[in-house]
């Protein structure tokens, strides 16, 4: 069954809406919410390989879709059909875009669309029992396939983000060091030129001064 639902803006990871829980298994819920927020953070940095993905995390799976710069994410039991999970997300996406689409980019505070929880709860109930005629029909819908959706491990996904951060940080540091080196090289070249031509300039100056003095005397 669906355990957690969150919607966030991909550009900055800002949470937009969430399926509010009833307080049970709160410690467990907080842990996985934190993982979801870390995933959003990685997505905001461009650390994702596909617009649809399933991610293993303990006894659950995160499933997400990205569309219109918004990530729709749910966490389900491992036994819950992947096909239903993604159709659940599609239903949320369609309604969220219809109701809040024009306000997504301008949202400035977390959970600006918290009222969307009403629709999340209503839709979640429809997907609760996988054996209903409605859900069986969705499972048998050959037009909606999920076999090609990539499955990854949560540590692997979060680890990729950390490694990319390290590479980015190293690249920035090397660029900064290169600039410092280039500036120092210019200073050294300037000093070398001064040392090379300063004696010549002094000699020429003395000679010209002598000619000028001699001309004045004569």
């Amino acid at each position: 069954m669906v355990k957690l639902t969150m919607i966030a803006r991909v550009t900055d990871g800002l949470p937009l809406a969430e399926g509010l829980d009833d307080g049970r298994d709160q410690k467990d819920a907080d842990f996985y919410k934190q993982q979801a927020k870390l995933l959003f953070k990685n997505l905001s940095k461009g650390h994702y390989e596909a617009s649809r993905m399933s991610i293993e995390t303990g006894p659950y799976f995160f499933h997400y879709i990205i569309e219109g710069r918004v990530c729709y994410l749910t966490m389900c039991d491992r036994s819950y059909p992947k096909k239903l999970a993604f159709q659940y997300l599609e239903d949320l996406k369609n309604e969220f875009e219809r109701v809040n689409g024009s306000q997504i980019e301008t949202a400035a505070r977390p959970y600006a669309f918290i009222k969307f929880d009403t629709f999340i709860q209503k839709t979640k109930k429809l997907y609760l029992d996988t054996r209903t005629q409605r859900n069986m029909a969705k499972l048998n819908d050959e037009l909606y396939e999920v076999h090609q959706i990539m499955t990854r491990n949560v540590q692997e996904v979060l680890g990729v983000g950390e490694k990319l951060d390290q590479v980015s940080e190293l690249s920035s540091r090397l660029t900064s060091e290169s600039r410092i080196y280039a500036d120092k090289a210019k200073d050294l070249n300037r000093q070398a030129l001064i040392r090379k031509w300063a004696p010549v300039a002094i000699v020429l100056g003395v000679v010209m001064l002598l000619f000028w003095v001699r001309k004045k005397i004569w």
Side-chain angles (χ1 to χ4, degrees), residues 7-207:
I7 301 172
R9 192 164 57 197
V10 174
T11 49
D12 55 6
L14 181 74
L16 300 174
E18 180 181 317
L20 300 176
D21 54 49
D22 56 9
R24 290 178 297 179
D25 301 323
Q26 187 62 43
K27 183 179 179 181
D28 196 46
D30 286 344
F31 173 77
Y32 289 108
K33 282 181 185 178
Q34 188 60 35
Q35 277 197 341
K37 289 177 180 178
L38 287 174
L39 288 171
F40 291 145
K41 181 181 177 182
N42 272 11
L43 292 173
S44 71
K45 297 177 181 178
H47 301 163
Y48 59 93
E49 303 169 31
S51 60
R52 282 162 170 72
M53 186 179 286
S54 296
I55 302 170
E56 296 178 277
T57 176
Y60 306 112
F61 268 103
F62 283 124
H63 304 288
Y64 75 70
I65 62 176
I66 296 174
E67 196 157 322
R69 297 185 179 182
V70 176
C71 179
Y72 304 85
L73 177 144
T74 188
M75 186 181 76
C76 306
D77 292 315
R78 279 179 172 266
S79 59
Y80 192 79
K82 187 175 182 179
K83 200 169 193 177
L84 285 183
F86 278 97
Q87 290 191 326
Y88 166 68
L89 291 175
E90 290 282 356
D91 287 353
L92 297 185
K93 174 186 72 68
N94 292 336
E95 181 66 9
F96 193 78
E97 286 180 346
R98 186 185 71 80
V99 176
N100 304 308
S102 62
Q103 306 171 60
I104 292 171
E105 291 299 323
T106 57
R109 57 185 175 83
Y111 303 106
F113 309 109
I114 196 64
K115 291 182 180 179
F116 192 71
D117 171 62
T118 302
F119 183 82
I120 292 175
Q121 298 300 338
K122 183 175 70 173
T123 308
K124 188 162 66 172
K125 288 178 182 177
L126 295 176
Y127 284 87
L128 192 61
D129 187 351
T130 61
R131 297 166 296 178
T132 63
Q133 185 176 354
R134 173 185 178 278
N135 288 335
M136 290 298 292
K138 286 182 175 291
L139 285 171
N140 294 325
D141 183 3
E142 295 181 358
L143 296 178
Y144 194 89
E145 288 298 333
V146 294
H147 298 300
Q148 301 301 319
I149 294 177
M150 188 183 302
T151 299
R152 302 284 295 275
N153 179 273
V154 70
Q155 296 302 327
E156 184 182 5
V157 172
L158 294 178
V160 166
E162 291 171 2
K163 288 174 184 176
L164 288 175
D165 280 343
Q166 291 172 3
V167 170
S168 178
E169 183 181 348
L170 178 60
S171 177
S172 298
R173 188 165 66 246
L174 289 174
T175 300
S176 177
E177 290 175 354
S178 296
R179 287 174 181 167
I180 293 172
Y181 176 81
D183 290 340
K184 287 184 177 179
K186 288 179 181 178
D187 288 338
L188 289 173
N189 287 335
R190 194 179 301 112
Q191 292 173 17
L193 287 172
I194 291 172
R195 284 196 298 269
K196 180 178 180 180
W197 296 107
V200 176
I202 291 171
V203 170
L204 287 174
V206 170
V207 170

